[in-house]
Amino acid sequence: MPPSAAPPDPDRILGCLLAGAVGDALGAPVEAMSLAAIRERHGPYGVAGYTGPAPGAISDETQLTLFTAQALAQASVRARARGIGGATLGLLQSAYLAWARGQGEPIPEQPSLSPGRLASVPALMSRRGPGRATLAALRKAAERQKPGWPLGKVDEPINGSKGSAGVVRAAPCGFGFPGVKGTFTLGCEAAALTHGDPSGQLPAGVLAAATASLVRGADLPAALDLAAAELLRRPHHRETAAALDAAIALARTGPPSPERLESLGRGFTAPEALAIGVYAALCAESAGGGAEEIGRRGLLIAVNHSGDSDSTGSVCGNLLGARHGSRAVPAGWRDALEVGAAVADLAEVCALEFGPNPPADEWGEPPMSWHMRVFGS
């Protein structure tokens, strides 16, 4: 069975969410610090593990990724229960609005807005440096008080942003859709809810499509090749394709270093965040070793630079975790991760819902117990 047709591997789903969260937690304390400042504080090799006042604490990258995964599982349950689809983007927007309220944003009361099980995890509902473009877009969507009606669309841009917050939450879009084309489209549409520039959307499509292949057994170069081929079929792809090509080429030309990495940018835009995450993941794999060694190496490459270290760490972690599973995360980092239990629970939900035999009753519909677990009510 080719990877594109296989069901997602449960451990690769867990690895994707887990390593992405760990990369975020490693990078968050040094986000926007210069490389010189990182080395002055942490030594000549930079960050080597969790740092900061709350080691293992995550930021908005992980919050949004988990809310994305939860909403996608909810959309699948609803489609199986009612026999119709089409609610995915509305549920995603609703999830993001619930998240924004948790950030303390003045979001008007919304009808039928349920934050789900994640609302019970304080670290996922507290303010952790949310992006301005994301919050502004969600405030605009909230003004209509129709959370299930997506406002930002690929063909109706909500703003002109191409910031990294659209790509960092896109990996779960690859869990439930085995086809590269459909997954790529979903990644773009999910990013378009808050980021209107094509260069804020297409990197999300690349990460979603690559993740879809990885969790179904593909290796990293093959997954990136399939995603890149789909990217070239999309309009306005030039900036994202150039960033991705530069990352792949740079990974082939010599040993990694922060200085070489920084030639790809700083990671504050989506194409740059994607490029740095891809570069770090490819460099980590090319050096060889076991899954844990590769995961550790890649995440540290991804966060030790002058830029958006939590975003680039998250993207790299998504890729390596989806490729190597939970073994890509060193046990000490996994055990100290602030939201480790929530990640494990949500990964299990996604693996079951998107697996070959999702929970069903005697009539073939999701049982009430499963509905309550996925929707948190």
Side-chain angles (χ1 to χ4, degrees):
M1 180 181 295
S4 61
D9 181 274
D11 190 61
R12 289 190 178 210
I13 287 178
L14 174 59
C16 179
L17 294 179
L18 183 62
V22 168
D24 173 25
L26 289 167
V30 294
E31 180 190 17
M33 289 178 60
S34 69
L35 179 60
I38 292 172
R39 286 170 168 167
E40 181 178 357
R41 179 172 298 182
H42 300 290
Y45 299 105
V47 171
Y50 290 146
T51 61
I58 53 93
S59 74
D60 62 310
E61 278 78 3
T62 298
Q63 292 176 331
L64 285 165
T65 299
L66 297 187
F67 272 95
T68 298
Q70 176 182 259
L72 293 172
Q74 291 173 342
S76 178
V77 170
R78 178 175 290 187
R80 290 198 297 121
R82 300 184 180 182
I84 56 173
T88 300
L89 295 178
L91 284 168
L92 280 170
Q93 181 173 270
S94 295
Y96 299 155
L97 288 171
W99 166 82
R101 292 188 71 178
Q103 309 299 297
E105 286 296 301
I107 299 295
E109 195 68 34
Q110 304 288 311
S112 305
L113 186 64
S114 173
R117 291 166 60 90
L118 297 182
S120 64
V121 183
L124 297 177
M125 296 296 283
S126 59
R127 199 172 184 93
R128 299 290 178 90
R132 291 191 297 271
T134 299
L135 292 180
L138 292 175
R139 285 195 295 267
K140 187 181 296 185
E143 291 173 359
R144 300 180 307 166
Q145 296 184 293
K146 296 179 179 179
W149 292 26
L151 180 60
K153 301 177 182 178
V154 171
D155 55 355
E156 297 178 20
I158 196 167
N159 55 32
S161 177
K162 59 179 179 181
S164 63
V167 65
V168 296
R169 64 180 191 248
C173 295
F175 294 167
F177 290 83
V180 170
K181 182 177 180 180
T183 302
F184 194 107
T185 296
L186 178 60
C188 293
E189 290 175 338
L193 292 170
T194 56
H195 289 68
D197 192 289
S199 292
Q201 301 163 6
L202 293 170
V206 172
L207 182 59
T211 299
S213 296
L214 290 169
V215 298
R216 290 169 173 82
D219 62 27
L220 184 57
L224 291 173
D225 284 347
L226 288 171
E230 183 61 31
L231 170 64
L232 295 180
R233 298 185 180 98
R234 306 294 172 123
H236 313 296
H237 64 256
R238 182 171 298 178
E239 182 177 10
T240 300
L244 184 59
D245 288 346
I248 294 171
L250 188 65
R252 292 170 176 163
T253 58
S257 71
E259 289 79 10
R260 288 167 59 81
L261 179 153
E262 290 184 357
S263 70
L264 300 171
R266 300 182 66 195
F268 290 108
T269 66
E272 291 177 357
L274 175 68
I276 292 172
V278 165
Y279 169 77
L282 288 172
C283 287
E285 284 213 332
S286 67
E292 181 177 318
E293 184 179 2
I294 290 171
R296 182 190 299 274
R297 182 188 301 124
L299 291 174
L300 295 181
I301 293 171
V303 302
N304 280 297
H305 63 92
S306 307
D308 196 359
S309 296
D310 50 355
S311 293
T312 55
S314 178
V315 171
C316 175
N318 290 150
L319 292 169
L320 289 179
R323 169 65 181 91
H324 296 282
S326 61
R327 296 174 302 152
V329 181
W333 291 355
R334 176 175 182 166
D335 293 344
L337 181 66
E338 179 182 31
V339 293
V343 168
D345 179 73
L346 186 56
E348 183 179 60
V349 166
C350 289
L352 289 169
E353 180 59 33
F354 298 128
N357 299 298
D361 59 21
E362 58 186 306
W363 296 282
E365 296 187 355
M368 182 55 64
S369 59
W370 185 242
H371 189 282
M372 292 176 66
R373 180 174 180 185
V374 175
F375 283 86
S377 59

